C-alpha cells in the first residue's frame, strides 16, 4: 500500500508525521472521505471544493493548487491499483511548537490514503438499521461548525460512542433548538407521502456530497425534495428514513428511539434511490 505524504509515495510503515503536528495536538486541520467506484473517483471536484472551503474557513493554506491535488488523488488510486476504494485525504496544520498559534507551523502535512473499505454489515442494507437520538448537539457558527469538515471530530466521536452505548451503530443529533441535524458521519432524509425531506445545512449539518447526489437523483426521478428543518417527531412518523454518506452510501433506517419507521423494513422509495445511486456512481466520476 502506497500512501501519499507531502508529494512522495511511502509505505504504510513509513507514513509518519511529527507528534508536534497541530493536527494531532489540537485537531487543527481538514479532511475528506472520497469513494472510488469501478476506477472512477466519485465527485472528486465537489469533495475538493469542500476541502478547500473548509481550509479557507480555518485560514489553512493548502500547499497545492486544486488541479495538483486532483492529480495527487487520482495518482494515489492508480499507484495502489484500486478499482473500488475509500480515500482519506487529510491536510493538517503541520509541525509547530506546543503553543496554539498556527504561525509556528511552517508547512501543512498532506496525506492521501486509499484502501478497501469495510462498510457497515451487508444486512443493514437489506433489513435496515436502528438508530437513536443522542445528547451531543450540533451547532453552527463556531469553529466546530458542522459545515467545516475539520479534524476536530470530537462531537462526532461522542455521537458514535453514545450510539454504541445505546446498543446501536449510528445516532442522530439535534441542534440546540431541537431540530434534527445529521448522524455522526452521515446526513438524514425522510420520506413522507412520497416526498423527500432533509435538513438544510444551516440547521447544523455537513453539506454531504452523497446528500446532494440524492437530491439530484430524486429530482430527476420526479420526487419533490424539501430542504427544511424537522424535529424528532417528524422522524418517528415518517414513512421511510435513510442516511447518506460517502462510506455508508444510502442506508435504510427502520427504527428510531424504539419507534418502528413505516413498515419496519427498508422502504420502496429508499431502495429505488439506492438503485439509482448505484447506477450513477459507476458512470459519474474522474478516471
Ligand atoms: N455528516 C458528517 C458529519 C460527515 O462527516 C459526513 C461524511 O463525510 C457526512 C455527513 C456525509 O457527507 P458525504 O456524503 O459528503 O460523505
Amino acid at each position: 500500500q502506497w500512501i501519499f505524504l507531502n508529494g512522495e509515495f511511502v509505505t504504510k510503515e513509513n507514513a509518519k508525521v511529527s507528534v508536534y503536528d497541530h493536527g494531532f495536538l489540537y485537531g487543527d486541520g481538514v479532511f475528506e472521505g472520497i469513494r472510488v467506484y469501478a476506477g472512477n473517483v466519485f465527485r472528486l471536484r465537489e469533495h475538493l471544493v469542500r476541502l478547500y472551503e473548509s481550509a479557507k474557513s480555518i485560514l489553512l493554506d493548502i500547499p497545492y493548487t486544486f488541479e495538483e491535488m486532483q492529480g495527487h488523488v487520482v495518482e494515489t488510486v492508480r499507484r495502489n491499483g484500486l478499482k473500488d476504494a475509500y480515500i482519506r485525504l487529510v491536510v493538517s496544520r503541520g509541525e509547530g511548537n506546543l503553543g496554539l498559534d498556527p504561525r509556528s507551523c511552517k508547512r501543512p502535512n498532506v496525506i492521501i490514503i486509499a484502501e478497501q473499505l469495510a462498510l457497515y454489515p451487508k444486512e443493514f442494507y437489506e433489513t435496515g438499521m436502528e438508530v437513536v437520538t443522542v445528547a451531543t448537539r450540533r451547532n453552527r457558527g463556531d469553529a466546530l461548525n458542522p459545515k467545516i469538515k475539520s479534524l476536530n471530530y470530537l462531537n462526532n466521536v461522542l455521537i458514535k460512542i453514545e450510539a454504541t452505548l445505546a446498543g446501536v451503530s449510528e445516532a442522530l443529533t439535534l441542534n440546540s433548538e431541537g431540530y434534527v441535524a445529521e448522524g455522526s458521519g452521515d446526513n438524514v432524509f425522510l420520506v413522507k407521502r412520497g416526498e423527500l425531506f432533509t435538513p438544510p445545512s444551516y440547521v447544523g449539518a455537513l453539506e454531504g456530497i452523497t446528500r446532494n447526489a440524492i437530491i439530484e437523483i430524486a429530482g430527476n426521478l420526479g420526487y419533490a425534495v424539501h430542504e427544511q428543518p424537522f424535529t424528532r417527531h417528524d422522524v418517528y412518523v415518517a414513512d421511510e428514513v435513510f442516511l447518506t454518506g460517502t462510506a455508508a452510501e444510502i442506508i435504510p433506517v427502520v427504527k428510531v428511539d424504539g419507534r418502528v419507521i413505516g413498515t419496519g423494513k427498508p422502504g420502496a422509495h429508499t431502495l429505488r434511490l439506492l438503485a439509482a445511486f448505484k447506477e450513477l456512481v459507476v458512470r459519474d466520476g474522474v478516471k
Side-chain angles (χ1 to χ4, degrees), residues 132-138 155 158-159 162 171-175 232:
V132 293
T133 56
V134 293
T136 304
R137 292 285 182 267
R138 295 297 267 161
N155 260 321
L158 288 174
I159 293 163
E162 286 194 78
L172 293 176
T173 65
L174 315 177
N175 71 10
R232 269 195 291 210

Side-chain angles (χ1 to χ4, degrees), residues 50 138 149 153 156 182 184-187 206 208-210 245-246:
R50 188 168 69 186
R138 295 297 267 161
K149 203 164 163 62
Y153 250 44
N156 309 65
E182 60 177 350
S184 71
D186 349 81
N187 293 110
L206 185 74
I209 310 284
T210 321
T246 292

